[in-house]
Amino acid sequence: MRRSRPDAALFIGSGKAEEIGARLAETGAGLVLFDHELSPIQQRNLSRLWDLPVMDRTELILDIFARRARSHEGKLQVELARLEHLSARLVRGWTHLERQRGGIGVRGGPGETQLELDRRMLSIRVKRLRAQLEQLRKQRRTRRRARDRRPAFAVSIVGYTNAGKSTLFNALTGAGTYAADQLFATLDTLTRRLRLPSGAEAVVSDTVGFVRDLPHQLVEAFTATLEETAQADLLLHVVDASAPDRDEQIAQVDRVLDEIGAADVPRILVHNKIDRSGRVPEVALDRYGRIDRVWASAATGEGLDLLREAIDQQVAAWREARRRGPADEAGAQAADVAADAPARPETPVHRAA
């Protein structure tokens, strides 16, 4: 029988909790994972009932991030997210924090000495981490201003975790960075130069992968890094073409991009892993005749020449916009929209790799 809402005390209801508890005892499990976010009370009650550690989805993602972080800034961001998540668990999570009993001459209630001490220590550490990350953000802004004086077309690779972003990054730039068939293999932003067929150059950045229901603490903590995505001139949204839920993954990435202020950045949808899905390299054009979708394989190299051509088109348009200036470009865009109404549909164009 389906519940209309999660149980306030156990999330799953007492009957189902007892059934799962019996199954856990049979199998000798040492840890229970929930693919949902649990409240502190639910987590505590389930752990007591089963006498086992209980982790929810948020804690699992935070733990993976902590294992994957390599750079100093990445480690600070993950620690900040974990501490902010932990601070919510200190409110009513563990009675072992109730060390002192109050009252004068009568039996008093539990004091908050140890609890308040732990919360104060967490608060101090969080403030220090925020200050350090803000300093790193200022340094990044200084470097960005220096880059703006020597303008280069900026490309950010984004997408759902394990879609093949790092493999594509390596295939385009020859960076040889770490890429693996695992969740969140890359947390730290990496940047390399890319020479295009026309001779133009672009700066390509590989970013952290997204996932459905990405914990808000992580989005907030990684804002300093993700703002590089919002400042990019072009996004390569990498999609696993062989994934059965790829449409849902695209929607989840779009949601995060909107949250970090990158919804309006031009993008090319890269359907990766066509070697697994059985597709052939091809492209689709937008209403202006530019390539906005590419089917390719970063692992085999199929279709990457089409992707480079698509990036080249975007660089040419970007250079023309800078040559015209903001006012001329705005007028040109308005004229294009007026001349293109009603817009002609996207036209897939098949090209052999």
Side-chain angles (χ1 to χ4, degrees):
M1 178 177 174
R2 291 183 175 273
R3 300 181 61 88
S4 59
R5 63 179 60 86
D7 182 77
L10 298 172
F11 185 80
I12 54 177
S14 57
K16 180 60 67 174
E18 292 177 0
E19 178 183 336
I20 294 175
R23 181 64 176 164
L24 293 172
E26 293 176 4
T27 59
L31 175 68
V32 182
L33 296 174
F34 272 74
D35 190 23
H36 300 275
E37 186 171 358
L38 300 176
S39 71
I41 293 178
Q42 291 167 343
Q43 189 173 8
R44 179 198 63 187
N45 290 344
L46 289 171
S47 181
R48 286 178 174 176
L49 178 64
W50 296 330
D51 194 24
L52 288 172
V54 176
M55 291 179 64
D56 65 2
R57 176 185 178 82
T58 299
E59 286 185 322
L60 177 60
I61 294 176
L62 289 172
D63 185 67
I64 295 175
F65 268 59
R67 294 171 184 266
R68 302 280 192 266
R70 294 292 182 268
S71 71
H72 174 61
E73 182 175 11
K75 292 177 180 179
L76 291 179
Q77 290 167 330
V78 173
E79 184 182 358
L80 175 61
R82 296 187 76 174
L83 289 180
E84 289 186 329
H85 180 73
L86 177 61
S87 64
R89 262 67 184 156
L90 287 180
V91 178
R92 299 191 190 97
W94 292 272
T95 55
H96 76 272
L97 296 179
E98 299 170 355
R99 301 298 192 197
Q100 177 180 328
R101 301 191 67 85
I104 300 178
V106 295
R107 180 185 299 175
E112 293 183 329
T113 301
Q114 187 64 41
L115 177 61
E116 288 300 322
L117 177 60
D118 286 3
R119 292 178 65 183
R120 191 178 306 113
M121 292 174 64
L122 277 177
S123 177
I124 292 173
R125 181 59 181 162
V126 165
K127 288 180 180 178
R128 288 177 178 172
L129 289 173
R130 288 190 179 278
Q132 289 178 274
L133 288 172
E134 181 59 30
Q135 182 63 33
L136 291 172
R137 180 180 300 186
K138 291 179 180 178
Q139 294 174 1
R140 184 180 291 106
R141 289 171 182 167
T142 301
R143 292 195 298 268
R144 185 181 299 127
R145 284 195 294 268
R147 289 200 306 265
D148 290 342
R149 289 193 290 269
R150 297 180 290 109
F153 188 80
V155 181
S156 281
I157 301 178
V158 300
Y160 207 80
T161 184
N162 211 27
K165 297 181 301 301
S166 295
T167 303
L168 179 63
F169 179 76
N170 290 336
L172 289 175
T173 66
T177 57
Y178 180 68
D181 184 14
Q182 61 186 22
L183 300 180
F184 310 115
T186 300
L187 290 188
D188 306 309
T189 300
L190 304 172
T191 302
R192 297 291 186 274
R193 287 193 174 274
L194 168 66
R195 182 170 291 277
L196 297 166
S198 66
E201 284 191 343
V203 176
V204 183
S205 298
D206 185 19
T207 60
V208 62
F210 302 148
V211 70
R212 67 178 176 87
D213 301 327
L214 189 67
H216 179 73
Q217 297 98 323
L218 281 177
V219 175
E220 183 180 0
F222 276 79
T223 297
T225 299
L226 294 176
E227 70 179 8
E228 291 282 338
T229 299
Q231 297 294 329
D233 299 301
L234 175 68
L235 301 180
L236 298 184
H237 181 170
V238 182
V239 181
D240 183 352
S242 65
D245 60 340
R246 57 184 175 274
D247 291 336
E248 180 185 347
Q249 293 181 5
I250 292 173
Q252 293 292 338
V253 173
D254 288 342
R255 189 173 296 114
V256 176
L257 291 175
D258 182 63
E259 187 173 351
I260 64 177
D264 297 329
V265 179
R267 70 189 67 177
I268 296 173
L269 196 61
V270 183
H271 294 267
N272 190 29
K273 303 185 182 182
I274 61 170
D275 53 309
R276 297 184 182 180
S277 64
R279 293 290 296 264
V280 295
E282 61 181 345
V283 299
L285 308 181
D286 63 14
R287 64 182 63 179
Y288 304 109
R290 298 173 187 165
I291 300 173
D292 70 341
R293 285 187 290 168
V294 179
W295 281 261
S297 170
T300 66
E302 296 177 276
L304 293 188
D305 55 335
L306 302 178
L307 179 57
R308 293 187 181 94
E309 180 183 343
I311 299 173
D312 230 345
Q313 288 182 355
Q314 294 288 340
V315 173
W318 174 77
R319 285 180 168 176
E320 179 63 20
R322 291 177 67 90
R323 186 187 65 80
R324 290 180 180 179
D328 291 342
E329 176 63 13
Q333 288 180 350
D336 286 342
V337 172
D340 209 33
R344 60 185 177 87
E346 293 178 338
T347 306
V349 180
H350 174 268
R351 304 182 186 178

